[in-house]
Amino acid sequence: MKRKFVIGLIIAFMALTGCSSNKNTAEPSATTAAAPAETQASSIPTEAPTPAPKKLSDTEAVALDYVNIFLNGSDSEAKKTFITDNVYPDAQPLFQMIQSVETPDDQKLKNPQVLESTHYSDEGGMKVEAVLIQGQKASNLKSELIVLISDLKIIWATDSSDQETFGEARKVFKEPLPEASLSTVPAPSEMLREIRNFVISDVWNEGFVDIHSYMISGTGSTGQSLDINFTVEQLAKTMNKKKEYDSYITGLDSKYDSLKQVWMKLSSETDRLYSLVQQNPPKANDTTANFDTGIFNQYLEAFEKEVDAAIK
C-alpha cells in the first residue's frame, strides 16, 4: 500500500479512537478514506426492485461480502474472519476496532447489488479496482457505496456522506449518478414532518376534500369553481409521491413501530379512496357517490399524533 493510503488509514484510526471513548457513540464518524466510515452512513429505508442476475467477479464478490457480512451483519466472528481474509493488513486494525459494533437497522445498506466495477487511480498514481454498489436506506432508495480493492483485499470504502471523496471516485463509473446520491440526508424528524404535511396538504386539502365536495355540491371545498379533471390528474402525481413515503416509513427502525402501524392503515385507506376515484370519475352533484372520508380522517388524526410524539 502506498504512503497516501497509509496516512488516510492513520487519520481514520485517530477519528475512530476519539469516537469509541464514549459507549453511547461507539459507531465511528464518517472519514474521507476508511471503509469503517460506512457504518456511520445516514439512515437507511426497504422494498427494492429485484435486480437482474449478475455474475460477479472475485473482486465484486469481496465488495458485496463487505456489505452483507461486515456492514449489515451481526455475527462478530464472521466479521473477524472477513477482516483476516479480505481486508488489507494495514487497514485491519481499524476494522477490528468496530467488528463488535452492529450497524443500526436504519443505517444498513439493504438489498445491495453490484452495479459496476472499474480501474481507479488516485492522485498519487495508486491503481486499484473500484466497485460501485447500490442499495436502500430509509432516506435514499438508491444509496451508493464505492469499495476500493487491491489484490482482493479491501483498502477502504466511501459513500455520499463524504461528498468530496465519494464524488471524486464516482466520476470513473459509467453508471448514471442517481439524483439524490450526493444530497444531504434529512433527519427522521424532518422527513416525518414532511410526510405529515404532504398528507394534509397534497392528499387531503388539494385532493380528497375537494373531490368529496365536488361530488356533493359541484364546487370545491370552499365553494370555489373546480376543474375536477385537473384535480384528479394532480392527485395521480400525489399518489406516485406517496410510494416513496411508503418505502421510507417501512424502513424506519423498531422505535417507530407504533407510527408505522398507523401509517399502514392511513396508507391503505388512501389507496382505497384513490381507487374509487379511478373506478368512478367524480361527477358534480352525484347523489349515488359513496366517497366516505371519515375513516381517512380518523387515521390522519392518529398519524399526526404519532408524528408529534416521534419528533419531540
Side-chain angles (χ1 to χ4, degrees), residues 123-141:
E123 294 177 356
M126 182 175 184
K127 297 180 179 179
V128 296
E129 189 162 359
V131 181
L132 177 63
I133 296 176
Q134 188 179 94
Q136 286 186 311
K137 293 183 179 179
S139 57
N140 188 348
L141 300 183

Side-chain angles (χ1 to χ4, degrees), residues 110-124:
K110 297 183 177 181
N111 304 306
Q113 57 176 308
V114 173
L115 296 186
E116 185 183 345
S117 60
T118 188
H119 296 297
Y120 175 73
S121 297
D122 75 339
E123 294 177 356

Side-chain angles (χ1 to χ4, degrees), residues 50-66:
T50 303
K54 173 181 174 64
K55 185 176 181 180
L56 303 180
S57 68
D58 291 342
T59 300
E60 291 171 337
V62 169
L64 195 59
D65 282 346
Y66 162 71

Side-chain angles (χ1 to χ4, degrees), residues 16 19 28 34 37-38 43 54 57 87 105 119 122 144 148 150 160 172 189 204 212 219 239 251 273 278 287:
L16 285 170
C19 291
E38 175 58 18
S43 42
K54 173 181 174 64
S57 68
V87 176
D105 185 68
H119 296 297
D122 75 339
E144 294 186 339
L148 296 191
S150 178
S160 59
V172 303
S189 59
W204 176 245
H212 183 258
T219 65
M239 294 302 292
L273 290 175
Q278 289 180 302
T287 58

Side-chain angles (χ1 to χ4, degrees), residues 83-96:
I83 293 170
T84 301
D85 295 344
N86 300 291
V87 176
Y88 202 92
D90 288 354
Q92 288 185 12
L94 303 178
F95 286 79
Q96 290 164 354

